[in-house]
Amino acid sequence: MRPTFLGFEASKTALFASQKALDITGNNLANINSIGYTRQRVDQVSVNYMNTSTAAGYLHNQVAIAGQGTSVIGIGQTRDKLLDTAFRNQSADVGDYSTRSAIMTDIEDALQEFDTGVDGNGYGLRNAVSELFEALEDFSTDAGSPTFAAVTSDAFENVVRSIRETTEALDNLSDKYKDSLKTDVDDVNQYFKEIADYNRRIKDALVSNDYTSEYGPNELLDARNKVLDELAAYGEIGVSYNSDGTINVSLGSKTAVKGLEVDDLMYSENTDGTVNVLWKSSAQPADTGKGILSAEQKMLNGRGVNMQSNTESADRGILYYKDKINSFAVQFAAICNNTIPDQVDTDGTVLSYKKLVGCEMPDGEVYPDMHVDANNIWITDELSESARYLLNDNGKNIDNTGLLNLTAKLTNSKFEFDGYTGTFENFVDDYVVTLGSDLSYVNENYEAAVTVGNNISEMRDSVTGVSETEETANMLMYNRAFQAASRMMTVMDDLLDVIINQMAV
């Protein structure tokens, strides 16, 4: 026999379900611009009357209790884990290429070879060398000119100053990105802690608020997913889900967050100036995969094919270009200090050469016989006092043969530099072109990664994002459902009135 008020109960469940659906629709529309918000949905199913018991324990004919209405089983989220994974993997690519591009652009600025200046000649080492060549050529044509002598002396000083300033700029750049790496390591550790904290809160909510692993605390889940999205730019992350609502997060090949447990990263600088990011628990290097952390390390440690230790990388980074400037300085000093004769015996054998550049010590003294590199090169006192030091004056006439030889060597002769054979100008052109080519390659990959990332983001937003059009349509649909359920209540009331008040006893 059919229960008398069964229809009322079924309509009541429809009213409650429609009201909750309208609540969630309103919540979706309210959060249409909220960062990290995932569109929510009301999941409802028909009440399973086959599981309905009676006082006797069961009914032989379940038809009488069929049609008991609907049940809201939970408030779910429209989220696709595969799209989340694809988006985060692409974020690592974008973070990697954007970081490389930023560092290479700063290296460009440090070299000053790409800014041509007002006169079109530029400011960098190539321009300084070009000005020195012009000064030497002019001086060699009129060795007795005090004007040409002064210009030549200034040109020598300009070259060594350019070497020193470029090296200092690269050192400052290295310090800048070491500080940046330290900050990024701290940021990643903070993300780890936040994820572990959200794990704890979600786990507690599942226990105390009757949530399930499928229908959890949506706002907390959104907050945790937002942190994961931000973390993804720093390295390749993996996410696995536990039955208690917590997640495990790996960075590269190592698990960083396991439920409520966290393994932090730490920054380490080696005695040779290279840097490492290590796992605090094991002090082993952290292989984070592509991302900001990896890009910063590789560009800071990048020495190209001339790697000197396993802490360096084969990338053409800051160390690579410091080596180029240093190689230029060493070769420049060798030529300048071994070309113009100073003392010659009666047979014409050169006993010593004039020293034009040397190693500047902290006290300001310049020692030409000490090791010269890009950090300490400076012109000697003799040259700074007068460029006529470049000439051989025997008291009767001025011999500019040594000056001509020096000019020829600096302009036309080819020398072995750091992995390159050519003239001084050709050497500078070579590493400048290399940098430009590398930066172009990185920028192209960055733009491609951003394009792919935007496409994935749009696909993900089409699933997780709130659509005003769709929610408006849902609002109308749920409103009609509510009105229909209300009308059904009225009809059931009329039917009950007929049974009670109008049917003959």
Short mmCIF file of all heavy atoms in Angstrom, two decimals, residues 309-350:
data_model
loop_
_atom_site.label_atom_id
_atom_site.label_comp_id
_atom_site.label_asym_id
_atom_site.label_seq_id
_atom_site.Cartn_x
_atom_site.Cartn_y
_atom_site.Cartn_z
N SER A 309 84.38 21.66 -13.01
CA SER A 309 83.95 20.82 -11.89
C SER A 309 82.54 20.33 -12.16
O SER A 309 81.85 20.85 -13.05
CB SER A 309 84.00 21.59 -10.57
OG SER A 309 83.00 22.60 -10.54
N ASN A 310 82.11 19.34 -11.39
CA ASN A 310 80.77 18.80 -11.60
C ASN A 310 79.68 19.70 -11.05
O ASN A 310 78.50 19.43 -11.23
CB ASN A 310 80.66 17.40 -10.96
CG ASN A 310 80.97 17.42 -9.47
OD1 ASN A 310 81.15 18.47 -8.86
ND2 ASN A 310 81.03 16.23 -8.88
N THR A 311 80.07 20.78 -10.38
CA THR A 311 79.05 21.74 -9.92
C THR A 311 78.74 22.77 -11.00
O THR A 311 77.76 23.50 -10.88
CB THR A 311 79.55 22.49 -8.66
OG1 THR A 311 80.75 23.19 -8.96
CG2 THR A 311 79.78 21.50 -7.53
N GLU A 312 79.56 22.81 -12.04
CA GLU A 312 79.31 23.73 -13.16
C GLU A 312 78.43 23.05 -14.19
O GLU A 312 78.28 21.83 -14.19
CB GLU A 312 80.62 24.19 -13.77
CG GLU A 312 81.48 25.00 -12.81
CD GLU A 312 82.83 25.36 -13.39
OE1 GLU A 312 83.18 24.84 -14.47
OE2 GLU A 312 83.55 26.14 -12.75
N SER A 313 77.84 23.85 -15.07
CA SER A 313 76.98 23.30 -16.11
C SER A 313 77.51 23.66 -17.49
O SER A 313 78.32 24.58 -17.64
CB SER A 313 75.54 23.83 -15.95
OG SER A 313 75.44 25.17 -16.41
N ALA A 314 77.04 22.93 -18.50
CA ALA A 314 77.49 23.17 -19.87
C ALA A 314 76.73 24.30 -20.53
O ALA A 314 77.00 24.63 -21.69
CB ALA A 314 77.33 21.88 -20.69
N ASP A 315 75.81 24.93 -19.81
CA ASP A 315 75.08 26.07 -20.36
C ASP A 315 76.02 27.27 -20.49
O ASP A 315 76.96 27.43 -19.69
CB ASP A 315 73.90 26.43 -19.46
CG ASP A 315 72.88 25.31 -19.38
OD1 ASP A 315 73.15 24.31 -18.69
OD2 ASP A 315 71.83 25.43 -20.02
N ARG A 316 75.72 28.13 -21.47
CA ARG A 316 76.52 29.35 -21.62
C ARG A 316 75.90 30.42 -20.72
O ARG A 316 75.03 31.18 -21.14
CB ARG A 316 76.56 29.77 -23.08
CG ARG A 316 77.43 28.86 -23.94
CD ARG A 316 77.61 29.38 -25.35
NE ARG A 316 76.44 29.14 -26.16
CZ ARG A 316 76.29 28.12 -26.99
NH1 ARG A 316 77.24 27.20 -27.08
NH2 ARG A 316 75.19 27.98 -27.71
N GLY A 317 76.39 30.44 -19.48
CA GLY A 317 75.84 31.36 -18.50
C GLY A 317 76.81 32.46 -18.13
O GLY A 317 77.69 32.84 -18.92
N ILE A 318 76.70 32.96 -16.92
CA ILE A 318 77.51 34.10 -16.48
C ILE A 318 79.00 33.74 -16.47
O ILE A 318 79.85 34.53 -16.92
CB ILE A 318 77.05 34.57 -15.10
CG1 ILE A 318 75.62 35.12 -15.19
CG2 ILE A 318 77.98 35.64 -14.55
CD1 ILE A 318 75.00 35.49 -13.86
N LEU A 319 79.35 32.54 -15.98
CA LEU A 319 80.76 32.14 -15.95
C LEU A 319 81.35 32.05 -17.36
O LEU A 319 82.53 32.36 -17.57
CB LEU A 319 80.91 30.78 -15.24
CG LEU A 319 80.59 30.75 -13.75
CD1 LEU A 319 80.76 29.33 -13.21
CD2 LEU A 319 81.45 31.72 -12.98
N TYR A 320 80.54 31.62 -18.31
CA TYR A 320 81.00 31.50 -19.69
C TYR A 320 81.46 32.86 -20.22
O TYR A 320 82.55 32.97 -20.81
CB TYR A 320 79.87 30.95 -20.56
CG TYR A 320 80.17 30.90 -22.04
CD1 TYR A 320 80.84 29.82 -22.59
CD2 TYR A 320 79.76 31.93 -22.89
CE1 TYR A 320 81.10 29.75 -23.96
CE2 TYR A 320 80.01 31.88 -24.25
CZ TYR A 320 80.68 30.80 -24.78
OH TYR A 320 80.94 30.75 -26.13
N TYR A 321 80.68 33.90 -19.98
CA TYR A 321 81.02 35.23 -20.51
C TYR A 321 82.10 35.90 -19.66
O TYR A 321 82.88 36.70 -20.19
CB TYR A 321 79.77 36.08 -20.63
CG TYR A 321 78.88 35.55 -21.73
CD1 TYR A 321 77.79 34.74 -21.45
CD2 TYR A 321 79.18 35.81 -23.07
CE1 TYR A 321 77.00 34.22 -22.48
CE2 TYR A 321 78.41 35.28 -24.10
CZ TYR A 321 77.32 34.50 -23.79
OH TYR A 321 76.56 33.96 -24.81
N LYS A 322 82.20 35.55 -18.38
CA LYS A 322 83.32 36.03 -17.59
C LYS A 322 84.62 35.44 -18.14
O LYS A 322 85.65 36.14 -18.20
CB LYS A 322 83.14 35.65 -16.12
CG LYS A 322 82.11 36.49 -15.37
CD LYS A 322 82.05 36.11 -13.90
CE LYS A 322 83.33 36.46 -13.19
NZ LYS A 322 83.25 36.19 -11.73
N ASP A 323 84.58 34.18 -18.52
CA ASP A 323 85.76 33.55 -19.12
C ASP A 323 86.15 34.25 -20.41
O ASP A 323 87.36 34.39 -20.71
CB ASP A 323 85.51 32.07 -19.37
CG ASP A 323 85.51 31.23 -18.10
OD1 ASP A 323 85.95 31.75 -17.06
OD2 ASP A 323 85.06 30.07 -18.16
N LYS A 324 85.18 34.64 -21.20
CA LYS A 324 85.47 35.33 -22.46
C LYS A 324 86.19 36.65 -22.20
O LYS A 324 87.19 36.97 -22.85
CB LYS A 324 84.17 35.58 -23.24
CG LYS A 324 83.47 34.32 -23.71
CD LYS A 324 84.31 33.51 -24.66
CE LYS A 324 83.60 32.25 -25.13
NZ LYS A 324 84.45 31.40 -25.99
N ILE A 325 85.68 37.43 -21.26
CA ILE A 325 86.31 38.71 -20.95
C ILE A 325 87.70 38.49 -20.37
O ILE A 325 88.65 39.21 -20.68
CB ILE A 325 85.44 39.50 -19.96
CG1 ILE A 325 84.02 39.72 -20.53
CG2 ILE A 325 86.06 40.85 -19.65
CD1 ILE A 325 83.97 40.43 -21.86
N ASN A 326 87.83 37.47 -19.54
CA ASN A 326 89.13 37.18 -18.94
C ASN A 326 90.14 36.74 -19.99
O ASN A 326 91.32 37.14 -19.95
CB ASN A 326 88.99 36.10 -17.87
CG ASN A 326 90.21 35.98 -16.99
OD1 ASN A 326 90.57 36.90 -16.28
ND2 ASN A 326 90.88 34.83 -17.06
N SER A 327 89.69 35.92 -20.93
CA SER A 327 90.59 35.47 -22.00
C SER A 327 91.06 36.66 -22.84
O SER A 327 92.23 36.74 -23.23
CB SER A 327 89.86 34.46 -22.89
OG SER A 327 90.69 34.04 -23.95
N PHE A 328 90.15 37.59 -23.08
CA PHE A 328 90.52 38.80 -23.82
C PHE A 328 91.59 39.57 -23.04
O PHE A 328 92.59 40.02 -23.61
CB PHE A 328 89.28 39.67 -24.02
CG PHE A 328 89.52 40.92 -24.82
CD1 PHE A 328 89.20 40.96 -26.18
CD2 PHE A 328 90.07 42.06 -24.24
CE1 PHE A 328 89.44 42.12 -26.92
CE2 PHE A 328 90.30 43.21 -24.98
CZ PHE A 328 89.98 43.24 -26.32
N ALA A 329 91.37 39.74 -21.72
CA ALA A 329 92.30 40.52 -20.91
C ALA A 329 93.69 39.87 -20.88
O ALA A 329 94.72 40.57 -21.00
CB ALA A 329 91.75 40.66 -19.49
N VAL A 330 93.74 38.55 -20.71
CA VAL A 330 95.02 37.84 -20.64
C VAL A 330 95.78 37.97 -21.96
O VAL A 330 96.99 38.26 -21.98
CB VAL A 330 94.78 36.36 -20.28
CG1 VAL A 330 96.07 35.56 -20.42
CG2 VAL A 330 94.24 36.24 -18.86
N GLN A 331 95.08 37.78 -23.07
CA GLN A 331 95.74 37.87 -24.37
C GLN A 331 96.15 39.31 -24.69
O GLN A 331 97.23 39.56 -25.24
CB GLN A 331 94.81 37.34 -25.45
CG GLN A 331 95.47 37.09 -26.80
CD GLN A 331 96.55 36.04 -26.74
OE1 GLN A 331 97.73 36.35 -26.65
NE2 GLN A 331 96.14 34.78 -26.78
N PHE A 332 95.31 40.25 -24.30
CA PHE A 332 95.62 41.67 -24.53
C PHE A 332 96.87 42.05 -23.75
O PHE A 332 97.76 42.74 -24.28
CB PHE A 332 94.42 42.52 -24.08
CG PHE A 332 94.58 43.99 -24.34
CD1 PHE A 332 94.42 44.51 -25.61
CD2 PHE A 332 94.90 44.85 -23.29
CE1 PHE A 332 94.57 45.88 -25.84
CE2 PHE A 332 95.04 46.22 -23.51
CZ PHE A 332 94.87 46.73 -24.78
N ALA A 333 96.97 41.61 -22.50
CA ALA A 333 98.16 41.91 -21.69
C ALA A 333 99.40 41.27 -22.28
O ALA A 333 100.49 41.89 -22.31
CB ALA A 333 97.93 41.44 -20.26
N ALA A 334 99.27 40.03 -22.75
CA ALA A 334 100.42 39.32 -23.30
C ALA A 334 100.97 40.04 -24.53
O ALA A 334 102.19 40.17 -24.70
CB ALA A 334 100.03 37.89 -23.65
N ILE A 335 100.10 40.52 -25.39
CA ILE A 335 100.54 41.22 -26.61
C ILE A 335 101.13 42.58 -26.25
O ILE A 335 102.21 42.96 -26.75
CB ILE A 335 99.36 41.39 -27.58
CG1 ILE A 335 98.82 40.02 -27.99
CG2 ILE A 335 99.78 42.19 -28.81
CD1 ILE A 335 99.84 39.09 -28.58
N CYS A 336 100.44 43.31 -25.39
CA CYS A 336 100.90 44.65 -25.05
C CYS A 336 102.25 44.63 -24.33
O CYS A 336 103.06 45.56 -24.48
CB CYS A 336 99.86 45.36 -24.18
SG CYS A 336 98.34 45.80 -25.05
N ASN A 337 102.51 43.60 -23.56
CA ASN A 337 103.73 43.56 -22.76
C ASN A 337 104.88 42.82 -23.42
O ASN A 337 105.95 42.70 -22.82
CB ASN A 337 103.44 42.91 -21.40
CG ASN A 337 102.58 43.79 -20.52
OD1 ASN A 337 102.42 44.98 -20.79
ND2 ASN A 337 102.02 43.22 -19.46
N ASN A 338 104.68 42.33 -24.64
CA ASN A 338 105.74 41.55 -25.30
C ASN A 338 105.88 41.91 -26.77
O ASN A 338 106.16 41.05 -27.60
CB ASN A 338 105.44 40.05 -25.16
CG ASN A 338 105.50 39.56 -23.74
OD1 ASN A 338 106.58 39.33 -23.19
ND2 ASN A 338 104.33 39.41 -23.13
N THR A 339 105.73 43.18 -27.09
CA THR A 339 105.82 43.60 -28.49
C THR A 339 106.81 44.74 -28.70
O THR A 339 107.65 44.69 -29.61
CB THR A 339 104.43 44.03 -29.01
OG1 THR A 339 103.54 42.93 -28.91
CG2 THR A 339 104.51 44.48 -30.47
N ILE A 340 106.77 45.77 -27.89
CA ILE A 340 107.63 46.94 -28.08
C ILE A 340 108.93 46.75 -27.29
O ILE A 340 108.90 46.63 -26.06
CB ILE A 340 106.93 48.22 -27.62
CG1 ILE A 340 105.65 48.43 -28.44
CG2 ILE A 340 107.84 49.43 -27.78
CD1 ILE A 340 104.84 49.63 -28.01
N PRO A 341 110.07 46.65 -27.95
CA PRO A 341 111.34 46.45 -27.26
C PRO A 341 111.65 47.58 -26.29
O PRO A 341 111.37 48.75 -26.56
CB PRO A 341 112.37 46.40 -28.39
CG PRO A 341 111.57 46.02 -29.59
CD PRO A 341 110.24 46.68 -29.42
N ASP A 342 112.23 47.19 -25.15
CA ASP A 342 112.67 48.20 -24.18
C ASP A 342 114.18 48.27 -24.12
O ASP A 342 114.77 49.33 -24.26
CB ASP A 342 112.08 47.85 -22.80
CG ASP A 342 112.37 48.93 -21.77
OD1 ASP A 342 112.61 50.09 -22.17
OD2 ASP A 342 112.33 48.62 -20.56
N GLN A 343 114.83 47.12 -23.98
CA GLN A 343 116.28 47.05 -23.97
C GLN A 343 116.75 46.09 -25.06
O GLN A 343 116.24 44.97 -25.17
CB GLN A 343 116.80 46.58 -22.61
CG GLN A 343 116.50 47.56 -21.48
CD GLN A 343 117.05 47.09 -20.15
OE1 GLN A 343 117.52 45.95 -20.01
NE2 GLN A 343 117.01 47.96 -19.16
N VAL A 344 117.70 46.55 -25.86
CA VAL A 344 118.22 45.76 -26.98
C VAL A 344 119.75 45.78 -26.91
O VAL A 344 120.35 46.83 -26.68
CB VAL A 344 117.75 46.35 -28.33
CG1 VAL A 344 118.27 45.47 -29.48
CG2 VAL A 344 116.24 46.46 -28.37
N ASP A 345 120.39 44.63 -27.10
CA ASP A 345 121.85 44.61 -27.05
C ASP A 345 122.43 45.06 -28.38
O ASP A 345 121.69 45.39 -29.33
CB ASP A 345 122.36 43.22 -26.66
CG ASP A 345 122.02 42.16 -27.70
OD1 ASP A 345 121.60 42.52 -28.82
OD2 ASP A 345 122.17 40.95 -27.39
N THR A 346 123.73 45.07 -28.48
CA THR A 346 124.41 45.58 -29.67
C THR A 346 124.12 44.74 -30.91
O THR A 346 124.25 45.23 -32.04
CB THR A 346 125.92 45.63 -29.43
OG1 THR A 346 126.36 44.31 -29.04
CG2 THR A 346 126.26 46.63 -28.34
N ASP A 347 123.76 43.49 -30.69
CA ASP A 347 123.43 42.62 -31.83
C ASP A 347 121.98 42.75 -32.27
O ASP A 347 121.56 42.08 -33.21
CB ASP A 347 123.72 41.16 -31.47
CG ASP A 347 125.19 40.91 -31.18
OD1 ASP A 347 126.02 41.63 -31.77
OD2 ASP A 347 125.47 40.03 -30.36
N GLY A 348 121.23 43.57 -31.58
CA GLY A 348 119.82 43.75 -31.92
C GLY A 348 118.90 42.78 -31.24
O GLY A 348 117.70 42.74 -31.53
N THR A 349 119.45 41.99 -30.32
CA THR A 349 118.61 41.04 -29.58
C THR A 349 117.83 41.77 -28.51
O THR A 349 118.40 42.55 -27.73
CB THR A 349 119.46 39.94 -28.94
OG1 THR A 349 120.22 39.28 -29.96
CG2 THR A 349 118.58 38.94 -28.20
N VAL A 350 116.54 41.51 -28.46
CA VAL A 350 115.68 42.17 -27.49
C VAL A 350 115.88 41.52 -26.13
O VAL A 350 115.73 40.31 -25.95
CB VAL A 350 114.19 42.07 -27.89
CG1 VAL A 350 113.31 42.71 -26.82
CG2 VAL A 350 113.96 42.73 -29.23
#
